[in-house]
Amino acid sequence: QVQLVESGGGLVQAGGSLRLSCAASGRTLSSYAVGWFRQTPGKEREFVAGMSWSGSNIYHADSVKGRFTMSRDNAKNTVYLQMNSRKPEDTAVYYCAARRYSGMAYDPRQYEYWGQGTQVTVSS
């Protein structure tokens, strides 16, 4: 099975940029569809972006479209979430997740493997 480790979180001012990484071990990420989710206290985990296992299909939530970009580096077995033009409402714990299917899913319950999460805080 695949293990996922997120990194790159931290404190950033509104309008700033940050890049999150999700490094995989155990299996190659190209065998999984991968998603980024975020969660704030008391709320359900929210879909942010997702990629099919081929990497040919990438989707971003409307709330981040045009500001966030998901990508993958097969050589490093890592996916990224580039976050630009950050807003205070982007503050959350961000998770990457993987599922053993070709297509990504919007529902977090469709993912079998999760990282531990990384905190991102955007100050106004």
Side-chain angles (χ1 to χ4, degrees), residues 36-59:
W36 282 100
F37 293 81
R38 64 187 181 186
Q39 189 171 27
T40 55
K43 293 190 176 181
E44 294 185 354
R45 207 159 285 190
E46 174 191 18
F47 172 81
V48 176
M51 175 185 290
S52 61
W53 69 9
S54 68
S56 59
N57 296 305
I58 305 174
Y59 302 91

Side-chain angles (χ1 to χ4, degrees), residues 18-113:
L18 204 62
R19 188 178 77 163
L20 304 183
S21 300
C22 174
S25 60
R27 295 287 177 88
T28 175
L29 271 179
S30 59
S31 299
Y32 299 82
V34 181
W36 282 100
F37 293 81
R38 64 187 181 186
Q39 189 171 27
T40 55
K43 293 190 176 181
E44 294 185 354
R45 207 159 285 190
E46 174 191 18
F47 172 81
V48 176
M51 175 185 290
S52 61
W53 69 9
S54 68
S56 59
N57 296 305
I58 305 174
Y59 302 91
H60 299 84
D62 288 343
S63 58
V64 305
K65 199 170 294 183
R67 300 189 298 120
F68 292 11
T69 303
M70 182 176 183
S71 62
R72 186 176 74 194
D73 185 331
N74 289 332
K76 295 183 178 180
N77 210 25
T78 299
V79 294
Y80 301 98
L81 185 68
Q82 178 67 43
M83 303 182 292
N84 299 330
S85 303
R86 299 304 307 276
K87 301 177 180 179
E89 52 263 41
D90 294 325
T91 295
V93 177
Y94 284 72
Y95 299 89
C96 69
R99 62 195 301 262
R100 292 172 295 171
Y101 297 91
S102 59
M104 49 70 64
Y106 297 98
D107 186 345
R109 294 171 294 182
Q110 301 298 319
Y111 291 80
E112 298 112 317
Y113 307 101

